[in-house]
Amino acid sequence: AAASGGPEAARSIPPVERESAQLLRALGLMLEGSTAANMPQQALQAIVEVLKVDMIALLRMQDANYADVTAAYDSAMQREVFGIAMNLDAQPTLADAISRRARRSLNVDDHQEELRDLFTRLDIEQIGPVYFQPILHEKQLVAVLLVGFPYTQRELRSGEEDLLKGISVIAGGLLSLSYAAHDAQMLAEERAIQAMVSNVI
């Protein structure tokens, strides 16, 4: 009986174990060959691999009214996306996700205008379901993860939504370190330029 139960047991892995394995895989993909500079791209690629999303983007709030697209990738077309900033006045669901620090979604039936504005800014002609997942680190908002399905039109299943949240927790600490390193480098370069200018003067 034990022998016949072996394959059956292998087939029915508990959801919690399956999610843990997927989270570990995502972490491994993020860390593989990562540097402070390329961590945002590594995080996006890991999520594309694990969740099989059509497109993905990282949004950062540099301004009260706009969310900057700092990295984006259209996995269906296999191209980097260079999007322009999201005006939060035209994106109330995104604004709500930011203010509540909670995942929000857009569907084609109820959010046509927001979706058209969003995908136009990302230079993608089709529209489809979108999820905004805030990324936090020590209760501070680091960025917002945008995952979209303009080509397949599919929606995330419940388990996939949980996985997206779990991955965002992992990404929070890594992205926070990446952004801090980037900011420190920018500050150092700024000081070096100021020192050069003052020496010339």
Side-chain angles (χ1 to χ4, degrees), residues 44-152:
L44 294 191
Q45 288 293 347
I47 295 161
V48 166
E49 284 284 318
V50 173
L51 282 173
K52 309 298 182 199
V53 301
D54 290 3
M55 63 77 50
I56 191 165
L58 267 177
L59 310 176
R60 287 192 79 193
M61 273 36 71
Q62 313 281 28
D63 180 288
N65 302 313
Y66 288 89
D68 290 338
V69 180
T70 58
Y73 185 67
D74 183 334
S75 61
M77 298 297 176
Q78 297 188 329
R79 67 181 180 101
E80 269 193 85
V81 175
F82 300 96
I84 55 177
M86 304 281 170
N87 183 337
L88 296 182
D89 287 340
Q91 292 293 329
T93 306
L94 171 57
D96 188 55
I98 293 166
S99 67
R100 292 175 183 267
R101 307 287 197 265
R103 183 178 59 248
R104 291 289 179 265
S105 61
L106 299 173
N107 64 62
V108 178
D109 291 335
D110 301 324
H111 305 96
Q112 284 267 350
E113 282 187 32
E114 285 174 81
L115 287 170
R116 290 205 185 283
D117 176 75
L118 185 149
F119 283 114
T120 298
R121 290 170 187 274
L122 293 170
D123 193 27
I124 295 175
E125 291 182 6
Q126 293 169 248
I127 68 169
V130 161
Y131 297 81
F132 299 116
Q133 174 65 58
I135 297 176
L136 308 176
H137 179 62
E138 295 178 348
K139 297 185 180 178
Q140 297 298 312
L141 184 70
V142 177
V144 175
L145 193 60
L146 181 166
V147 300
F149 299 92
Y151 307 112
T152 58

Side-chain angles (χ1 to χ4, degrees), residues 31 35-37 39 137 142 171-184:
L31 294 176
T35 63
M39 179 50 71
H137 179 62
V142 177
L174 296 172
L175 287 172
S176 181
L177 287 170
S178 168
Y179 292 144
H182 177 265
D183 293 346

